[in-house]
Amino acid sequence: MANTDIEQQIIKLRKEIEAHNHAYYVDNNPTISDFEFDMRLKQLESMEKAYPEYFDKNSPTQRVGSDLTKSFKQIVHQYPMLSLANTYSEGEVTEFYNRVRKSLNTDFDVVCELKYDGASISLIYENGELAAAVTRGDGVRGDDVTANIRTIQSIPIRLCGDFPSRFEIRGEVLMPFAVFDELNREKAENGEPLFANPRNAASGTLKLQNPSEVARRRLDSYLYYLLGEELPAETHYDNMMAAKTWGFKISNAIRCCRSLDEIFDFIRYWDTERRNLPVATDGIVLKVNDLRQQRNLGLTAKSPRWAIAYKYQAERALTRLNSVSYQVGRTGAVTPIANLEPVLLSGTTVKRASLHNADIIAGLDLHIGDMVFVEKGGEIIPKITGVDTEAREAYMPKVVFPQCCPECGSALVRNEDEAAHYCPNEDHCPPQIKGKILHFVSRKAMDIIGLGDETIALLFEKSLVGNVADIYELKISDIAPLERLGEKSAQNIVDGIEASKQIPYPNVIFALGIRYVGETVAKRLAKAFPSIEQLEEATLEQLIQVDEIGEVIARSVVDYFAKEEHRQLISRLKAAGIRLAADEQPGHISALLEGKTVVISGVFAKHSRDEYKDMIEQNGGKNSGSISAKTSFVLAGDNMGPAKLDKAQKLGIRLVTEDEFLEMIAKQKD
Ligand code: IVH
């Protein structure tokens, strides 16, 4: 096939995939099966790999994200990002309506929309391409999170139809409830703090330094405000409809209302209907439709006079606080749980509510027996938002956070800057031991089938296992007599234990349950320290040098291996035959970079940072994190940090672009 034909074929395939993406993510109306879609995407990936000369950063294959520098560039908003006046009262909606009527002194329409509860974003499009995506920040300037936004499938990277050459569109980035639940489940498994609600999860995700992790979190979006010098229409509603034809996800929950009655119909309808939506909403936004009328009404310092947000009351119930119990998790975090007199709240009976930590209890000044307000917002677990102090009797005792672990009696500790109390007795506190063993055998760790919650509890109670190394000494005769088990189950468990000796090294690191070491961090550690001995000896500084590993994780790893008990555990695992080293690394391809020290900086389009690191090592070079007189050259991507750029220039160190580097290496191969 001639090269131009190939290029045409690649372009055609990209267009086709973009159209399927739009049908799936924006219209919620898939046009082909997931399988067929995957096949097309794979075909495009392999063609792009075979013909890198047709690389396009806007290709649908590039949405998976790449590596990025450590901090975000700031961008000043061309139009400041204002907020909206808020109200919870229908009376104030009427007042808003009457105020507008008086001020305009003529007929007007009000567009009603849902108020989405996520992270606000401003997208700038130039010549039909996404040029930048900026967070609200302080309203005047925000963070440039373009690389992360590019991973959101419902945000078009390239537009279709008849769009202005330059405009901004604002909206909300959202984490669907289902993704939020899954993410928190994973976080709990990794012993990481949970996100309180989908809004925090969405804004936290936008600030991640690793776009591939952002991609994995499947964020969604709704756009609701168009700005620019050449807009297609003179009304907000028509502008939204035009934006829809360009490819944006504009909610169908939008109505142009001619009267207050129509506005209240909309408000009341969505009060219940919004519960069926996959994303969080917390009210209705009312906007004067005509842009000229909007300009006449003008702005206050903080918000426009032509719009108002009506917020729904979170559902609330009043019930009695019977007691507070304290749960100790796998990582030793102690979570207070309120035990309530059962009460009906938005269709479910609530018996328990999370109290999160000691500060929350103190802030509420809780007493046992108090009548408390329970609310269900975007969170899954209801929370206590207030106390009816009038109903308090003098005899009711104050809730005091315990000083000792309710499970093992150890004195609790609280780290600076952290709200949670921890039981430090990580190796001997029963729920922590059982939690660590359960984590060790879980699917993404050692994947030992048959050892569930109950069996582990039984083995622990019978003193057959007290840590993860004990698992490898279990015999059929230990397991078979346990309740609900038997010879056959025991045999299966022992087989599973034997098979786990083949589990790869990165999974083993994850399985150890070191605080903050989730699956991804474990992979990075395994790569940087290919044997457990190297990891055991790694210093804080060496750990921080590893991509994506900050001080908190590094310290946790150092602390883990500093304990003699853990070192002994590892040597017992080693003796049992667990894989505690990486497979052989591929040998050197060339000596092209022999004796050279390379610093990688910035964002790359064709390969990830890790891939470039590998290429440097495979060609005999050394990677370094900081520029010094010893640096041979900087492999420089886009958005290289200003401090690094400055230093490289001062020291006269050459900047090599991604393409130059790839050419350099390709020549060597020839
Ligand atoms: S319009 C100048 N429409 O609520 C007004 N905002 O409290 C521009 N929001 O900053 C905003 N849904 O983050 C608008 N349909 C909607 C919205 C909406 C959610 C958020 C947005 C805004 C905040 C104001």
Side-chain angles (χ1 to χ4, degrees):
M1 207 185 303
N3 269 15
T4 47
D5 289 348
I6 288 169
E7 186 179 10
Q8 286 315 312
Q9 209 183 332
I10 290 179
I11 292 171
K12 190 164 156 246
L13 201 48
R14 281 179 188 149
K15 284 215 171 109
E16 196 192 326
I17 292 173
E18 272 167 22
H20 290 310
N21 257 342
H22 187 272
Y24 187 94
Y25 290 103
V26 179
D27 300 337
N28 286 328
N29 187 17
T31 32
I32 52 170
S33 72
D34 290 358
F35 176 76
E36 284 171 297
F37 180 86
D38 290 343
M39 289 298 109
R40 283 177 176 65
L41 194 66
K42 281 214 173 82
Q43 187 190 351
L44 178 60
E45 267 168 3
S46 60
M47 289 186 76
E48 288 180 344
K49 207 166 165 194
Y51 301 95
E53 60 270 40
Y54 303 129
F55 173 82
D56 179 352
K57 71 177 189 333
N58 292 333
S59 166
T61 55
Q62 299 305 306
R63 288 211 192 237
V64 286
S66 63
D67 275 358
L68 192 70
T69 42
K70 286 268 176 201
S71 57
F72 295 103
K73 194 171 81 185
Q74 297 228 307
I75 292 185
V76 173
H77 295 295
Q78 186 182 352
Y79 311 91
M81 275 180 95
L82 300 176
S83 61
L84 291 173
N86 267 341
T87 177
Y88 286 91
S89 110
E90 294 197 353
E92 285 186 24
V93 171
T94 308
E95 281 172 27
F96 164 78
Y97 193 81
N98 290 337
R99 211 167 41 237
V100 170
R101 183 164 47 201
K102 197 165 163 214
S103 196
L104 293 176
N105 202 17
T106 175
D107 285 345
F108 62 98
D109 294 339
V110 169
V111 176
C112 289
E113 298 168 1
L114 284 172
K115 184 170 182 331
Y116 289 97
D117 194 12
S120 34
I121 193 78
S122 191
L123 309 174
I124 300 155
Y125 284 81
E126 279 167 358
N127 302 318
E129 284 190 8
L130 174 63
V134 192
T135 62
R136 169 203 290 279
D138 60 5
V140 175
R141 71 189 71 226
D143 280 333
D144 175 358
V145 289
T146 317
N148 286 345
I149 289 292
R150 293 176 84 88
T151 71
I152 303 176
Q153 300 280 4
S154 63
I155 293 185
I157 290 177
R158 216 188 332 238
L159 305 179
C160 40
D162 191 15
F163 43 78
S165 59
R166 190 195 145 86
F167 68 90
E168 274 190 55
I169 190 161
R170 291 183 180 166
E172 214 77 358
V173 168
L174 300 147
M175 181 174 285
F177 291 122
V179 179
F180 169 75
D181 292 346
E182 200 182 307
L183 181 65
N184 263 355
R185 220 172 303 134
E186 257 177 43
K187 281 189 163 282
E189 249 182 47
N190 294 342
E192 294 166 24
L194 307 189
F195 281 121
N197 52 46
R199 179 185 0 100
N200 291 2
S203 50
T205 301
L206 282 188
K207 296 294 177 72
L208 288 177
Q209 299 296 339
N210 178 359
S212 21
E213 175 58 20
V214 180
R216 203 181 66 84
R217 294 194 186 174
R218 307 195 303 281
L219 294 173
D220 202 349
S221 69
Y222 276 107
L223 284 311
Y224 46 63
Y225 187 26
L226 195 64
L227 295 119
E229 305 305 316
E230 311 157 74
L231 299 186
E234 258 304 298
T235 64
H236 169 65
Y237 187 89
D238 290 346
N239 279 332
M240 288 298 100
M241 293 307 121
K244 192 181 234 174
T245 65
W246 306 333
F248 292 105
K249 188 156 177 173
I250 309 290
S251 173
N252 287 328
I254 178 167
R255 181 165 164 203
C256 194
C257 299
R258 314 226 79 170
S259 69
L260 256 180
D261 280 347
E262 282 181 29
I263 294 174
F264 285 121
D265 280 351
F266 189 91
I267 289 181
R268 284 171 201 147
Y269 174 78
W270 283 106
D271 191 1
T272 46
E273 203 49 39
R274 70 195 181 96
R275 291 191 202 125
N276 300 322
L277 299 173
V279 292
T281 54
D282 60 348
I284 299 295
V285 179
L286 287 75
K287 300 172 184 170
V288 170
N289 190 26
D290 190 292
L291 302 192
R292 211 168 21 127
Q293 291 180 336
Q294 286 187 1
R295 285 190 289 272
N296 282 342
L297 289 161
L299 316 166
T300 70
K302 282 206 306 222
S303 52
R305 286 201 189 86
W306 46 263
I308 191 169
Y310 170 82
K311 291 186 63 168
Y312 292 118
Q313 267 314 336
E315 284 171 88
R316 212 158 80 136
L318 191 63
T319 190
R320 188 177 309 280
L321 173 69
N322 287 334
S323 64
V324 176
S325 39
Y326 298 88
Q327 272 181 359
V328 184
R330 163 169 79 82
T331 56
V334 180
T335 313
I337 308 281
N339 300 306
L340 306 166
E341 195 59 34
V343 65
L344 204 64
L345 185 62
S346 37
T348 52
T349 305
V350 173
K351 295 187 206 130
R352 284 144 64 89
S354 169
L355 284 168
H356 298 288
N357 55 53
D359 293 344
I360 304 270
I361 295 179
L364 289 164
D365 181 31
L366 273 188
H367 290 237
I368 301 293
D370 267 345
M371 291 305 288
V372 293
F373 294 103
V374 190
E375 268 185 25
K376 230 180 189 180
E379 299 80 2
I380 354 167
I381 310 164
K383 63 177 177 205
I384 294 181
T385 52
V387 180
D388 177 7
T389 43
E390 306 252 302
R392 181 177 294 160
E393 306 279 352
Y395 66 85
M396 293 180 183
K398 205 175 158 83
V399 177
V400 187
F401 203 91
Q403 294 189 324
C404 295
C405 174
E407 298 280 347
C408 73
S410 306
L412 298 181
V413 292
R414 186 176 178 169
N415 298 334
E416 228 178 284
D417 302 333
E418 269 191 63
H421 282 77
Y422 285 91
C423 166
N425 187 15
E426 57 172 326
D427 299 308
H428 302 283
C429 174
Q432 295 194 61
I433 300 174
K434 284 185 269 183
K436 281 201 172 65
I437 298 174
L438 200 58
H439 170 74
F440 185 82
V441 303
S442 65
R443 196 173 52 80
K444 289 178 179 168
M446 303 305 281
D447 195 19
I448 305 178
I449 306 161
L451 273 183
D453 222 342
E454 285 177 27
T455 314
I456 287 170
L458 280 174
L459 290 167
F460 176 74
E461 276 150 33
K462 302 251 183 282
S463 304
L464 288 163
V465 288
N467 61 41
V468 297
D470 293 341
I471 294 176
Y472 293 92
E473 284 170 24
L474 284 174
K475 292 186 283 297
I476 293 183
S477 57
D478 294 328
I479 307 169
L482 298 178
E483 277 163 54
R484 283 193 297 275
L485 290 164
E487 283 289 329
K488 190 150 186 278
S489 314
Q491 182 65 55
N492 286 343
I493 292 175
V494 169
D495 290 348
I497 294 173
E498 192 54 34
S500 76
K501 295 179 181 168
Q502 298 312 318
I503 291 290
Y505 173 57
N507 301 53
V508 180
I509 297 181
F510 171 61
L512 292 176
I514 305 170
R515 204 161 156 215
Y516 305 123
V517 178
E519 251 186 299
T520 320
V521 171
K523 275 192 199 134
R524 289 185 189 271
L525 289 174
K527 192 150 186 232
F529 306 97
S531 74
I532 199 81
E533 290 80 11
Q534 283 164 292
L535 185 59
E536 276 179 343
E537 300 312 323
T539 62
L540 198 67
E541 292 69 34
Q542 287 169 330
L543 285 158
I544 294 173
Q545 288 286 314
V546 181
D547 239 6
E548 302 289 331
I549 302 224
E551 195 169 334
V552 174
I553 302 176
R555 195 165 292 284
S556 167
V557 173
V558 170
D559 288 350
Y560 180 88
F561 289 110
K563 279 201 175 164
E564 182 49 33
E565 198 163 347
H566 292 158
R567 287 177 173 255
Q568 272 174 19
L569 194 80
I570 304 258
S571 46
R572 283 180 63 204
L573 289 176
K574 211 184 290 173
I578 306 296
R579 294 175 65 168
L580 287 164
D583 294 335
E584 281 290 300
Q585 293 289 314
H588 276 193
I589 296 170
S590 84
L592 174 76
L593 301 175
E594 186 93 39
K596 297 231 177 345
T597 302
V598 185
V599 172
I600 301 183
S601 181
V603 190
F604 298 94
K606 299 191 180 169
H607 294 276
S608 73
R609 235 167 213 271
D610 279 346
E611 282 167 355
Y612 280 120
K613 281 193 174 167
D614 285 348
M615 286 182 217
I616 290 165
E617 278 166 18
Q618 284 162 7
N619 287 284
K622 234 178 81 186
N623 287 293
S624 164
S626 55
I627 298 178
S628 72
K630 288 199 201 113
T631 308
S632 313
F633 64 86
V634 177
L635 172 53
D638 287 345
N639 293 343
M640 181 175 162
K644 273 199 177 142
L645 193 61
D646 197 44
K647 194 156 182 199
Q649 274 161 356
K650 278 207 181 100
L651 291 169
I653 289 161
R654 189 157 83 99
L655 303 184
V656 173
T657 67
E658 177 170 28
D659 286 331
E660 284 166 351
F661 178 78
L662 290 173
E663 212 172 292
M664 194 191 280
I665 281 184
K667 270 206 195 110
Q668 181 62 29
K669 263 193 235 156
D670 298 343

